[in-house]
Amino acid sequence: MSAKPARSVFITGAGIGIGAACARSFAAAGYRVVLADVLKEEGAGTAAQIRSDGGQAEFVSLDVRDSEQVDDAVRRTQGDGFDVVIANAGIARRQPFCDLDDAGWMETVDVNLGGSMRVLRATLPAMVERRSGALIALSSISGIAYGWDQHAHYSASKAGVIGLVRALAVEFGAAGIRVNGIAPGFIRTAQSLSVEHSLGEEGLRKAVATVPLGRIGEPDDVADVALFLASDAARYVSGQVLVVDGGLLVRQA
């Protein structure tokens, strides 16, 4: 009797940060992991580390702004369809709104929102045929409730991800597919540590005082929520956006 194939997950932006943490968590849970990222060295390195730890992982170079690249990467790696897809690729660029040109706006929106759309669009048909699957898209507290100075394009794109999640949950629920989002708060990643485009180390240190749980989040804190949303424990959860922020948004003062 042949062994049951491992469950599979496709993760974008999987070379570093939250995406890499998701890749490690899903691999440890027994998934075959396909890591996609525009960062080739980091993505290949994360995949190699997973394999050295006994997991199943392969890396595909991918720019989520390119529909042909997305469609080809999915076609080459999905087999009869992924069990889980995590649309995580994203960028943040600090830019005063009145100085923001069309190209700067479109770059951020095309990666954060357009990239999520392309990946989910490419992976859904096989899920529909199988009549099962879980889609997870990464938003942000900046897209759900939290204004971020000089990041209007980022906030708008992450708000768009929430709309995408809700619409797809309704459209594909009858096919047995669940669609959810995650809105992280202050998480220690390369993006948040950027002084040019985000808080930087000093900014994160100061932000601790605003978080009820008294610490900055780690990528694994988000990855574990993604693993929950993909699991049977979340079998009746769809169209939701789970905030992972240590209590930041409900703090009164």
Side-chain angles (χ1 to χ4, degrees), residues 125-163:
M127 286 186 169
V128 170
E129 187 170 341
R130 289 174 49 177
R131 302 195 68 78
S132 68
L135 306 178
I136 301 166
L138 271 290
S139 180
S140 166
I141 58 170
S142 296
I144 198 168
Y146 192 85
W148 192 8
D149 182 36
Q150 299 185 49
H151 285 82
H153 44 336
Y154 177 85
S155 297
S157 68
K158 290 300 187 177
V161 168
I162 294 172

Side-chain angles (χ1 to χ4, degrees), residues 9-226:
V9 58
F10 187 88
I11 308 171
T12 62
I16 60 174
I18 290 171
C22 287
R24 292 189 294 268
S25 291
F26 277 78
Y31 281 77
R32 176 179 72 88
V33 182
V34 178
L35 302 88
D37 207 312
V38 71
L39 302 175
K40 298 179 182 180
E41 183 176 347
E42 293 87 343
T46 300
Q49 184 60 57
I50 289 172
R51 291 193 298 270
S52 72
D53 291 338
Q56 301 180 60
E58 66 176 291
F59 169 71
V60 292
S61 176
L62 180 62
D63 184 341
V64 296
R65 297 173 297 179
D66 189 317
S67 291
E68 288 187 8
Q69 281 192 35
V70 172
D71 293 346
D72 181 63
V74 170
R75 185 169 51 248
R76 288 188 289 108
T77 59
Q78 72 175 345
D80 65 350
F82 288 106
D83 296 280
V84 182
V85 176
I86 303 176
N88 167 72
I91 59 172
R93 301 283 188 263
R94 185 189 306 279
Q95 185 67 58
F97 184 68
C98 291
D99 296 331
L100 180 61
D101 60 19
D102 287 3
W105 171 273
M106 287 307 302
E107 179 189 30
T108 296
V109 172
D110 204 22
V111 173
N112 297 352
L113 179 55
S116 296
M117 178 277 292
R118 293 182 189 93
V119 169
L120 301 184
R121 182 180 63 188
T123 53
L124 265 165
M127 286 186 169
V128 170
E129 187 170 341
R130 289 174 49 177
R131 302 195 68 78
S132 68
L135 306 178
I136 301 166
L138 271 290
S139 180
S140 166
I141 58 170
S142 296
I144 198 168
Y146 192 85
W148 192 8
D149 182 36
Q150 299 185 49
H151 285 82
H153 44 336
Y154 177 85
S155 297
S157 68
K158 290 300 187 177
V161 168
I162 294 172
L164 182 65
V165 163
R166 291 171 175 165
L168 296 183
V170 173
E171 184 171 350
F172 293 96
I177 297 165
R178 297 183 299 103
V179 189
N180 291 290
I182 300 175
F186 296 131
I187 308 295
R188 187 177 299 279
T189 63
Q191 179 173 287
S192 67
L193 288 168
S194 169
V195 175
E196 180 182 4
H197 294 298
S198 189
L199 297 176
E201 183 68 54
E202 179 64 15
L204 282 179
R205 187 188 65 77
K206 292 178 179 178
V208 170
T210 69
V211 180
L213 286 184
R215 68 175 178 87
I216 294 301
E218 299 295 335
D220 286 345
D221 294 322
V222 181
D224 285 348
V225 173

